[in-house]
Amino acid sequence: MSVQRKRILVTGGAGFIGSHLCERLLVDGHEVICMDNYFTGSKSNVIHLLDNPYFELVRHDVTEPYYAEVDQIYNLACPASPIHYQYNAIKTIKTSVMGAINMLGLAKRVKARILQASTSEVYGDPMVHPQFESYWGNVNPIGIRSCYDEGKRCAETLFMDYHRQNNLDVKIIRIFNTYGPRMNKHDGRVVSNFIVQALEGKDITIYGDGSQTRSFQYVDDLVEGMIRMMNSEEGFVGPINIGNPGEFTMLQLAQQILEMTGSSSKIQYLPLPTDDPKQRQPNIELAEKMLDWRPTVELTQGLSNTIEYFKKIIS
Ligand SMILES: NC(=O)c1ccc[n+]([C@@H]2O[C@H](COP(=O)([O-])OP(=O)(O)OC[C@H]3O[C@@H](n4cnc5c(N)ncnc54)[C@H](O)[C@@H]3O)[C@@H](O)[C@H]2O)c1
């Protein structure tokens, strides 16, 4: 084997992104401990990995301390969709903050390298477009999204403080909207929402007039970026944007999905929720320069894979 086998902990490993990451790390020849409390993730996302002797599934809540001898930690545990993170806002912020403290403590103890899955939400409703990593954001500290946005911002602070104070080997990535197979059917995120509505012949619900834009990256591109960041040169901490700069309006996305599914669903316009950012697009120059990374999967290809997945679980 060309790579040196590492022992890698993935928190939130039974979630959408985590399950793809675990899968890829095993393919790359590593040993993986997948830790999850199954709040939004599920065993079914990793069931195909259970026969692999290098894969270990652990039911554990990241807000409680956890001990394991590992070389690397990917900290993904946290509900990511507004429906789920607002369900128990206090638990969400605890997961981000106490989860970060527990995992940083573990990394310090066993001298592991640790990567934080942060988010473009740290930019809030940005006044700068597209967003560079040096932009500090425009975030409401007391709104209904704050449990997630501020929790993730505080986790970034903790990562930086452990790095400065304890010389911990940390990495921070800011993930922009990601989609792909194994997204939770009920989480209300736009790509899965539109696909499920189209496949079930229900109205496609657009919040606002549909002119707000988002950029969508396919999960395989993200996983490649995460692994490159984790294995980047020591001392390069980030934060680094990992996302696809290709921008689409919600209306364009809905129309594309209607066309690809051949659905006769109609578009229904609903009021825009509070604090919904109007525009979000990553600047990825830093990732291109430092990681030689850029997204490669076209929206049509990614959507086609995702539509196939949802066809299977809906039928
Ligand atoms: N999907 C995106 O577009 C996106 C964008 C930015 C950042 N992220 C970040 O990436 C990570 C993974 O997101 P995802 O889209 O796969 O979401 P997800 O909800 O599918 O995955 C999160 C996983 O964490 C687990 N979890 C939640 N609370 C936990 C706790 N207290 N202890 C242990 N496990 C817990 C859930 O059960 C789930 O398996 C999250 O940290 C999220 O904030 C995702």
Side-chain angles (χ1 to χ4, degrees), residues 130-192:
Q131 291 84 51
F132 287 87
E133 291 82 353
S134 54
Y135 177 54
W136 290 351
N138 176 36
V139 180
N140 176 358
I142 53 169
I144 56 169
R145 299 173 75 106
S146 313
C147 60
Y148 182 73
D149 301 4
E150 297 289 17
K152 288 284 187 179
R153 285 167 69 93
C154 182
E156 285 197 12
T157 307
L158 283 160
F159 268 66
M160 290 309 298
D161 286 338
Y162 266 79
H163 174 65
R164 280 187 288 256
Q165 216 167 307
N166 296 319
N167 212 16
L168 204 67
D169 191 2
V170 307
K171 309 273 175 188
I172 301 170
I173 61 167
R174 292 183 179 153
I175 302 171
F176 283 67
N177 271 353
T178 304
Y179 71 98
R182 299 193 209 120
M183 290 179 90
N184 188 312
K185 184 184 162 194
H186 304 289
D187 73 7
R189 277 190 273 188
V190 64
V191 176
S192 47

Side-chain angles (χ1 to χ4, degrees), residues 15-17 36-37 39-41 61-62 76 148 152 178 189:
F16 155 52
I17 295 171
D36 208 294
N37 71 347
F39 173 47
T40 50
D61 194 308
V62 78
L76 275 66
Y148 182 73
K152 288 284 187 179
T178 304
R189 277 190 273 188

Side-chain angles (χ1 to χ4, degrees), residues 8-11 21 25 73-76 115 226-227 230:
I8 303 178
L9 171 63
V10 179
T11 77
L21 178 64
L25 292 171
I73 303 170
Y74 288 87
N75 188 36
L76 275 66
L115 178 144
M226 286 177 111
I227 291 176
M230 175 61 102

Side-chain angles (χ1 to χ4, degrees), residues 29-302:
H30 299 295
E31 225 176 293
V32 174
I33 303 176
C34 167
M35 178 236 275
D36 208 294
N37 71 347
Y38 307 124
F39 173 47
T40 50
S42 83
K43 273 189 191 166
S44 62
N45 284 340
V46 288
I47 201 152
H48 58 296
L49 306 177
L50 289 176
D51 284 343
N52 188 323
Y54 295 108
F55 182 73
E56 218 174 309
L57 184 57
V58 179
R59 179 193 289 266
H60 183 84
D61 194 308
V62 78
T63 60
E64 301 290 338
Y66 179 75
Y67 304 96
E69 288 292 328
V70 291
D71 305 303
Q72 293 184 342
I73 303 170
Y74 288 87
N75 188 36
L76 275 66
C78 185
S81 76
I83 290 181
H84 289 131
Y85 71 62
Q86 287 165 13
Y87 172 77
N88 183 345
I90 297 169
K91 175 73 189 203
T92 299
I93 196 158
K94 277 186 178 170
T95 295
S96 272
V97 176
M98 293 164 67
I101 291 171
N102 287 330
M103 289 306 110
L104 287 161
L106 173 64
K108 185 179 164 208
R109 214 167 293 126
V110 300
K111 298 191 171 46
R113 178 174 278 195
I114 179 166
L115 178 144
Q116 168 67 358
S118 190
T119 169
S120 57
E121 300 289 339
V122 300
Y123 299 121
D125 193 357
M127 317 284 265
V128 169
H129 190 74
Q131 291 84 51
F132 287 87
E133 291 82 353
S134 54
Y135 177 54
W136 290 351
N138 176 36
V139 180
N140 176 358
I142 53 169
I144 56 169
R145 299 173 75 106
S146 313
C147 60
Y148 182 73
D149 301 4
E150 297 289 17
K152 288 284 187 179
R153 285 167 69 93
C154 182
E156 285 197 12
T157 307
L158 283 160
F159 268 66
M160 290 309 298
D161 286 338
Y162 266 79
H163 174 65
R164 280 187 288 256
Q165 216 167 307
N166 296 319
N167 212 16
L168 204 67
D169 191 2
V170 307
K171 309 273 175 188
I172 301 170
I173 61 167
R174 292 183 179 153
I175 302 171
F176 283 67
N177 271 353
T178 304
Y179 71 98
R182 299 193 209 120
M183 290 179 90
N184 188 312
K185 184 184 162 194
H186 304 289
D187 73 7
R189 277 190 273 188
V190 64
V191 176
S192 47
N193 237 13
F194 286 2
I195 292 177
V196 172
Q197 288 168 334
L199 291 176
E200 290 181 341
K202 296 185 179 143
D203 283 353
I204 301 231
T205 47
I206 291 188
Y207 296 95
D209 62 2
S211 64
Q212 71 273 41
T213 62
R214 289 290 184 278
S215 52
F216 303 101
Q217 82 177 321
Y218 189 63
V219 64
D220 288 358
D221 281 332
L222 166 62
V223 166
E224 179 64 35
M226 286 177 111
I227 291 176
R228 285 190 191 209
M229 181 58 176
M230 175 61 102
N231 297 299
S232 62
E233 64 189 57
E234 195 170 344
F236 177 59
V237 169
I240 194 164
N241 291 339
I242 302 285
N244 191 327
E247 224 183 351
F248 300 87
T249 67
M250 294 301 94
L251 192 57
Q252 283 172 322
L253 180 72
Q255 282 162 343
Q256 173 94 47
I257 289 173
L258 281 174
E259 193 186 309
M260 290 179 73
T261 52
S263 166
S264 53
S265 295
K266 303 272 172 293
I267 293 177
Q268 189 194 5
Y269 295 91
L270 296 175
L272 210 56
T274 323
D275 285 351
D276 194 48
K278 282 164 225 48
Q279 207 180 20
R280 188 85 67 51
Q281 186 192 26
N283 176 297
I284 57 164
E285 281 166 24
L286 191 61
E288 287 180 320
K289 179 167 162 250
M290 296 302 294
L291 309 178
D292 192 23
W293 175 91
R294 61 199 56 78
T296 60
V297 181
E298 296 291 338
L299 185 70
T300 42
Q301 181 58 53

